[in-house]
Amino acid sequence: MVRCLELFETIRRRRSVRAFKGEPVKKEDLTRILNAAIMAPSAGDIQPWEFIVTTDAEVRRDLATAALGQYWMEEAPVIITVCAKEEASALRYGERGSGLYCIQDTAAAVQNILLASTALGYGSCWVGAFDEDEVRRVLKIPNGIRPVAMIPIGAPGERPEARSRRDLKRVVHSEVYGEQRF
Ligand SMILES: Cc1cc2nc3c(=O)[nH]c(=O)nc-3n(C[C@H](O)[C@H](O)[C@H](O)COP(=O)(O)O)c2cc1C
């Protein structure tokens, strides 16, 4: 088993990485990353996610084009597209399922992918700015399945500084909204 970072250290070290060395992601690492994704919690344990793993260089370019020209993405040897199975969540939970739960469930899976990639020494980035119809076309995604995020993963070609965060005091309320005495 490959050694990896402790959880809080992983959370602290994670960055959006937008430059890659192009070395391949090991198959066993990719499997670990995807296994981490499916360990995410989901409403009603529906697990309304599917993942498309793209390694083909031409398709990576097409995905970068669909991501409104974020061509740095194509440098990554792997792009995982995370999809939400809206219909599966709607079947049990109606609009709340399709409009909220399946988005939250897949967001949790995305975060697990980012953290697992970081723990294994890879760079990654959550890409949400893309033309959904174009991603659907490129990846042949059927109706009822919504691409919600693309995640390029690879050996990091940059080590970005941490971006600052809004202070805890500004974002945590004590007991009720507006009581900021945390
Ligand atoms: C929903 C979502 C969509 C995002 N979409 C993009 C994107 O399309 N392109 C990009 O370069 N970064 C994207 N990001 C990454 C953010 O820009 C980044 O997380 C933020 O600037 C904080 O930096 P950090 O991730 O290094 O902490 C996205 C992040 C989230 C959560």
Side-chain angles (χ1 to χ4, degrees):
M1 191 65 86
V2 189
R3 273 178 60 79
C4 60
L5 297 173
E6 183 265 338
L7 177 64
F8 283 92
E9 182 61 10
T10 304
I11 291 171
R12 200 181 62 77
R13 281 208 205 171
R14 186 209 57 78
R15 302 275 188 280
S16 290
V17 170
R18 300 181 180 88
F20 301 93
K21 288 191 180 141
E23 296 157 15
V25 174
K26 284 193 212 132
K27 182 78 199 301
E28 68 195 82
D29 289 345
L30 193 54
T31 304
R32 285 185 89 186
I33 290 166
L34 290 164
N35 268 315
I38 62 170
M39 290 310 292
S42 63
D45 198 21
I46 288 176
Q47 306 175 32
W49 41 58
E50 295 200 353
F51 306 90
I52 303 168
V53 177
T54 301
T55 54
D56 183 274
E58 265 181 43
V59 181
R60 284 188 279 133
R61 167 148 270 252
D62 290 345
L63 291 178
T65 303
L68 317 177
Q70 300 189 65
Y71 288 108
W72 54 268
M73 287 175 62
E74 68 178 314
E75 283 179 44
V78 175
I79 299 175
I80 298 177
T81 301
V82 180
C83 299
K85 296 181 74 177
E86 294 175 306
E87 283 175 351
S89 299
L91 211 57
R92 174 118 42 116
Y93 296 114
E95 268 182 32
R96 197 162 173 84
S98 56
L100 182 64
Y101 292 162
C102 73
I103 303 301
Q104 293 177 321
D105 300 340
T106 46
V110 170
Q111 179 71 349
N112 279 7
I113 290 174
L114 299 179
L115 292 177
S117 305
T118 305
L120 292 171
Y122 295 102
S124 59
C125 185
W126 185 326
V127 173
F130 55 82
D131 178 331
E132 269 185 49
D133 290 338
E134 191 53 17
V135 171
R136 279 177 187 289
R137 189 190 65 75
V138 171
L139 297 178
K140 302 182 168 64
I141 299 172
N143 289 336
I145 309 284
R146 182 178 184 189
V148 292
M150 293 198 278
I151 311 169
I153 301 174
E158 62 172 3
R159 301 264 172 208
E161 288 294 314
R163 297 181 71 100
S164 67
R165 289 297 191 260
R166 292 167 65 207
D167 196 83
L168 267 194
K169 284 200 279 295
R170 295 190 168 278
V171 297
V172 180
H173 305 262
S174 293
E175 312 300 343
V176 293
Y177 194 93
E179 289 293 325
Q180 297 181 343
R181 283 184 283 106
F182 187 79

